[in-house]
Amino acid sequence: MPKIFINNKEIEFQEGMTVLQACELAGAEIPRFCYHERLSIAGNCRMCLVEMEKSSKPIASCAMPATDGMKIKTNTQMVEKARKGVMEFLLVNHPLDCPVCDQGGECDLQDQSLYYGFDSSRFKENKRLVKDKYMGPLIKTQMTRCIHCTRCIRFATEVAGVSELGAIGRGEDMEITTYLEKSMTSELSGNVIDLCPVGALTSKPYAFEARPWELKKTESIDVMDAVGSNIRVDSYGWEVKRVLPRLNNSINEEWISDKTRYACDGLLKQRLDKVYIRRENKLVEASWDDAINLISSKINSTDNDKIAGHIGGLNSIETINSFKKFLEEINVKNYEFREKDFYVNPEEKMNYIFNSSIQGIEKSDLLLLVGANPRLEATILNARIRKTYLKNKLPILSIGDPGDLTYPYKVIGTKTDDIKQILEGKSEINNLFKKSKNPLVIIGESALELKSGKYILEGLKDFLHKNKFINENWNSFNILSQNAATVGALDLNFLNKANGSGNFFDKLKNHIFELLYFVGSDELNFQKNNEFIIYQGSHGDRMAQIADVVLPSPAYTEQNGFFINLEGRLQKAYKATNPIGNAKEDWKIFNLICNKLKNKNLFTNYKDLIDDSLSKIKDSKNIDTLPVTQTKKINLSSGNFYSEDVSIRPIDYYFSNPVARASKTMSDCRAEKILNIENRKIG
């Protein structure tokens, strides 16, 4: 390996590294503003200046390739003087408004000026004034503070895949703006706030809410989709003030979606904080004892076959497991987690997870989407696909047209007949598979909702297995789940086991059930007839409005919980705030009802619940590790083929769950999106 000398210390480095990266290997701290390891190199700010042997002036370490034998010094008088000069220029036009800036306490410019700044400026000219730009309901701008690092522009173009930010003017007249001053249309737009090293771009919903040192910081897991992005929940008292990303190279790197970041204000709205019972067609406040007594009497007076349970997509495995155990305790076999009737095969974990892993996308050399829209179903995963496309020129094909995915793709068909052609080796893309070493096949839930759902899943699995694309080193078979609870529910086998004619959804549609117990099930397509409905959840959303008994439970930030993301990776979310009002943890509610019915508790304590839940998880017991699934002996099956259109189910991205629907910010984003669509139609 080549070697470089940093402050007379010999360091080995990899080919392609910059001087800045080599300095970091040596433990030398290099200040920077424009440089970011996940973005292209711009070399704008010049703050990263270092001294190089035989160079008459300092060099920008971020833009200089490291070479063998190079001698660099980072702590000389020349370097310090140069950096102080750069800092003086950066502060020439920067407003002295730190006390009112939301970036205060987290500002790179503020931190670095403490070391490289001066107590006074030699420049007496008037500071420039730049008009603030409109960037939508999420990003607040104060463009006079901008130091032209261009991080936001590079992120929008390279990572988000929307060329909507750019620069006009030159020198100190340069301005960052959106084209025609329209809002950013990317679902990742909020990340420019984290990237901005000054207070030019800040969070509009969070403006003047709190200072960073006032907030309690809790590491957790996102539940807005199935990706399992690592997040930090910042709370003040019982209120969640903001959600920020945590670094995890295997999952979300250091990005999060706008829904993950901003839906948190929905935790304050439309909350269920009291028990309600429907009397004379009105929900009136009641006590826990009254509710438990009523539920118990209704369960006792209803046949077991006429009772059913359904659990929503935001629930942890502890909630799913305790709910299942409760239903089995009262001999109920009708239970489901799916919001729509799509095909699943829970026999092997490989059948329902993203086997290639999110990070594994970067190894792929061919991608086939089948009835999937990664941009709206798994925004962070979509960003990883775009990254791979830019890096490796990844060929991307799709059956079904998902719309704009932020990268080019080719629609090779819109019917199940096109899938059949592939499986029979008669498609034009079969040759591409033969040439590929690490292909990816991503199957969306829209494809599995078809009558041919079983044929598609089992057929593609068989095809990949026969072509040796499923092995110990690489597994091309991937299911794109939409909800945080999906993989956990399948691990726990939370599926209808009742005998008789018709599945759960048929019985639901035909009003066979007399008593329904919904746990956060607000996305289920259901119209009430004469059923007695128990709703347990955190928000007064769709099902709470038609329920006969409403039981308040905590939101995802108000209780500890394990989640399993779409890769099958076990993750733990930690409690950030306390439940509001009279809300009780889900498992404790099931305990209360079971105690009333059977005079026994389901679980003695929370540890007992965790131990029981984790013991039932398939293939993976360690936190934040990928499961080791069986690839040698695969159970193959087959399904009936039907000629059908592969249409991708529309997704109301900003209103996808009760927390998001309660969020004013998500409502504003949705309205902005609708407006942009209408304007494009007019244009």
Side-chain angles (χ1 to χ4, degrees):
M1 289 182 72
K3 296 178 180 179
I4 189 172
F5 294 87
I6 310 291
N7 298 328
N8 299 319
K9 182 180 177 182
E10 189 180 72
I11 299 293
E12 290 185 344
F13 67 94
Q14 293 180 354
E15 289 283 354
M17 279 188 169
T18 63
V19 171
L20 187 150
Q21 292 170 321
C23 289
E24 289 183 332
L25 288 177
E29 187 174 343
I30 307 294
R32 81 293 298 267
F33 291 115
C34 69
Y35 175 80
H36 193 278
E37 58 271 15
R38 302 191 193 277
L39 303 176
S40 61
I41 295 170
N44 295 331
C45 72
R46 321 306 285 183
M47 197 66 203
C48 64
L49 295 173
V50 296
E51 185 179 339
M52 182 176 71
E53 189 181 56
K54 298 181 181 180
S55 176
S56 60
K57 56 184 181 180
I59 63 167
S61 61
C62 71
M64 177 64 72
T67 58
D68 190 28
M70 185 181 277
K71 294 181 179 180
I72 301 293
K73 291 187 177 176
T74 67
N75 52 9
T76 63
Q77 264 190 335
M78 176 198 283
V79 171
E80 186 174 347
K81 186 178 178 181
R83 291 175 182 174
K84 285 188 174 183
V86 171
M87 179 60 69
E88 189 174 11
F89 275 120
L90 288 174
L91 294 175
V92 165
N93 284 308
H94 198 82
L96 303 176
D97 61 350
C98 293
V100 296
C101 179
D102 266 327
Q103 196 81 353
E106 300 172 317
C107 178
D108 291 348
L109 183 64
Q110 193 179 62
D111 293 342
Q112 293 181 38
S113 67
L114 289 173
Y115 187 81
Y116 296 107
F118 296 90
D119 60 348
S120 61
S121 176
R122 291 176 290 176
F123 297 90
K124 305 301 180 184
E125 293 85 357
N126 292 329
K127 292 179 181 286
R128 67 170 184 176
L129 181 65
V130 183
K131 180 184 175 183
D132 294 339
K133 307 297 190 292
Y134 178 74
M135 292 189 183
L138 304 179
I139 304 168
K140 179 187 176 187
T141 63
Q142 190 88 37
M143 302 313 294
T144 305
R145 299 171 183 159
C146 180
I147 61 170
H148 303 158
C149 72
T150 68
R151 280 186 179 183
C152 54
I153 297 174
R154 285 174 283 149
F155 173 84
T157 305
E158 297 165 15
V159 180
V162 290
S163 301
E164 296 173 345
L165 282 180
I168 57 175
R170 297 182 66 186
E172 77 168 4
D173 294 325
M174 176 178 166
E175 296 182 21
I176 306 295
T177 183
T178 56
Y179 299 119
L180 303 177
E181 294 198 24
K182 301 293 184 182
S183 65
M184 290 183 67
T185 58
S186 170
E187 294 79 18
L188 294 166
S189 65
N191 291 288
V192 300
I193 297 166
D194 298 334
L195 287 170
C196 184
V198 295
L201 305 177
T202 54
S203 174
K204 190 177 284 186
Y206 176 69
F208 308 122
E209 286 288 323
R211 288 297 193 181
W213 55 83
E214 297 175 319
L215 301 173
K216 174 189 170 188
K217 301 169 179 63
T218 308
E219 295 184 349
S220 193
I221 301 297
D222 173 52
V223 300
M224 293 293 118
D225 55 31
V227 173
S229 297
N230 286 215
I231 59 173
R232 193 187 83 195
V233 180
D234 288 0
S235 56
Y236 187 86
W238 69 275
E239 293 186 25
V240 174
K241 291 295 186 181
R242 65 179 183 178
V243 172
L244 298 177
R246 285 193 293 126
L247 177 66
N248 190 318
N249 288 321
S250 301
I251 303 175
N252 57 303
E253 298 184 300
E254 54 191 276
W255 321 124
I256 53 173
S257 69
D258 288 344
K259 185 162 55 174
T260 299
R261 186 185 297 270
Y262 288 111
C264 60
D265 65 329
L267 296 167
L268 308 176
K269 311 292 185 189
Q270 293 182 228
R271 291 299 304 274
L272 297 175
D273 59 351
K274 297 175 181 150
V275 178
Y276 293 95
I277 293 176
R278 188 172 296 275
R279 293 186 175 122
E280 297 179 359
N281 209 29
K282 291 183 180 180
L283 287 172
V284 297
E285 189 179 338
S287 68
W288 274 103
D289 287 341
D290 289 341
I292 299 300
N293 289 334
L294 176 60
I295 292 169
S296 302
S297 66
K298 286 290 183 180
I299 290 175
N300 282 328
S301 61
T302 308
D303 291 340
N304 296 335
D305 292 340
K306 302 291 185 179
I307 302 175
H310 188 277
I311 199 155
L314 303 183
N315 289 287
S316 66
I317 64 168
E318 292 98 318
T319 299
I320 299 169
N321 185 45
S322 56
F323 189 34
K324 182 183 178 183
K325 194 163 182 177
F326 166 72
L327 292 172
E328 289 178 342
E329 191 67 39
I330 59 174
N331 201 28
V332 170
K333 297 179 179 179
N334 294 294
Y335 45 79
E336 262 291 350
F337 74 92
R338 293 173 291 178
E339 295 160 359
K340 289 185 169 53
D341 188 11
F342 60 87
Y343 174 73
V344 292
N345 182 351
E347 297 304 315
E348 298 171 326
K349 191 156 186 163
M350 190 196 84
N351 295 333
Y352 54 85
I353 65 172
F354 201 92
N355 292 284
S356 303
S357 79
I358 296 171
Q359 194 171 23
I361 292 172
E362 297 184 36
K363 300 177 185 176
S364 64
D365 53 11
L366 177 67
L367 171 59
L368 174 64
L369 300 171
V370 182
N373 182 345
R375 178 172 179 177
L376 300 183
E377 294 175 38
T379 305
I380 295 299
L381 184 143
N382 193 68
R384 190 76 71 144
I385 295 174
R386 174 171 172 80
K387 178 183 178 181
T388 309
Y389 165 75
L390 293 176
K391 184 179 176 182
N392 304 333
K393 298 299 178 186
L394 175 70
I396 303 170
L397 311 169
S398 179
I399 296 176
D401 191 355
D404 184 10
L405 293 179
T406 72
Y407 43 79
Y409 62 92
K410 181 182 179 182
V411 178
I412 61 169
T414 58
K415 296 183 73 70
T416 54
D417 301 77
D418 300 298
I419 301 172
K420 188 179 181 183
Q421 290 282 311
I422 296 172
L423 301 185
E424 293 175 352
K426 300 176 182 177
S427 173
E428 61 182 33
I429 73 163
N430 284 97
N431 289 328
L432 294 177
F433 273 99
K434 288 176 182 178
K435 296 175 184 177
S436 175
K437 292 182 179 179
N438 295 326
L440 277 178
V441 175
I442 300 177
I443 307 171
E445 290 181 5
S446 293
L448 301 179
E449 288 175 20
L450 301 172
K451 289 192 293 182
S452 300
K454 183 176 181 180
Y455 174 85
I456 293 169
L457 188 147
E458 303 294 347
L460 285 169
K461 183 175 71 171
D462 184 29
F463 169 78
L464 294 171
H465 183 254
K466 285 178 178 176
N467 287 276
K468 299 181 179 179
F469 294 131
I470 298 178
N471 53 64
E472 292 181 351
N473 300 317
W474 182 255
N475 192 332
S476 298
F477 183 74
N478 301 284
I479 303 297
L480 185 58
S481 302
Q482 294 186 9
N483 293 329
T486 297
V487 176
L490 284 165
D491 266 6
L492 296 168
N493 210 18
F494 197 90
L495 285 164
N496 189 53
K497 292 184 177 179
N499 297 319
S501 61
N503 62 14
F504 177 90
F505 297 94
D506 293 332
K507 292 177 180 178
L508 196 68
K509 182 181 178 180
N510 295 322
H511 304 286
I512 303 298
F513 301 124
E514 296 177 2
L515 189 151
L516 291 165
Y517 199 147
F518 293 136
V519 181
S521 308
D522 293 287
E523 314 314 312
L524 195 62
N525 184 17
F526 171 72
Q527 300 293 324
K528 184 179 180 180
N529 192 3
N530 294 316
E531 298 90 346
F532 183 84
I533 296 175
I534 305 162
Y535 178 78
Q536 181 174 314
S538 60
H539 283 71
D541 204 75
R542 296 170 179 172
M543 291 303 180
Q545 296 173 17
I546 62 171
D548 296 285
V549 179
V550 177
L551 306 176
S553 64
Y556 71 99
T557 57
E558 296 164 2
Q559 57 183 335
N560 295 320
F562 284 95
F563 291 88
I564 305 174
N565 78 341
L566 54 78
E567 307 168 290
R569 190 188 299 267
L570 183 65
Q571 299 175 289
K572 187 169 184 182
Y574 290 92
K575 179 180 177 180
T577 61
N578 291 319
I580 67 170
N582 294 327
K584 295 182 184 291
E585 293 181 22
D586 293 298
W587 71 276
K588 291 182 178 178
I589 298 174
F590 302 136
N591 251 8
L592 285 172
I593 303 172
C594 187
N595 195 285
K596 184 69 178 178
L597 289 168
K598 301 288 184 176
N599 199 27
K600 61 184 282 190
N601 289 324
L602 296 169
F603 303 98
T604 54
N605 50 49
Y606 184 61
K607 185 180 181 304
D608 184 26
L609 169 63
I610 291 175
D611 291 343
D612 186 72
S613 301
L614 295 183
S615 69
K616 297 173 181 176
I617 300 302
K618 298 177 184 176
D619 298 316
S620 178
K621 302 294 187 295
N622 298 319
I623 294 178
D624 202 34
T625 59
L626 291 172
V628 181
T629 58
Q630 177 63 255
T631 56
K632 288 184 178 179
K633 296 180 181 179
I634 298 174
N635 295 320
L636 299 174
S637 182
S638 62
N640 296 323
F641 171 79
Y642 302 89
S643 181
E644 302 170 87
D645 290 329
V646 182
S647 57
I648 298 168
R649 185 193 340 143
I651 297 172
D652 196 348
Y653 179 78
Y654 295 107
F655 271 17
S656 61
N657 60 64
V659 178
R661 283 191 290 274
S663 165
K664 180 183 180 302
T665 308
M666 292 294 98
S667 181
D668 292 342
C669 289
R670 187 173 183 260
E672 189 82 20
K673 183 177 181 179
I674 293 170
L675 183 64
N676 287 337
I677 293 171
E678 289 176 349
N679 287 339
R680 282 201 296 269
K681 287 179 180 177
I682 294 170

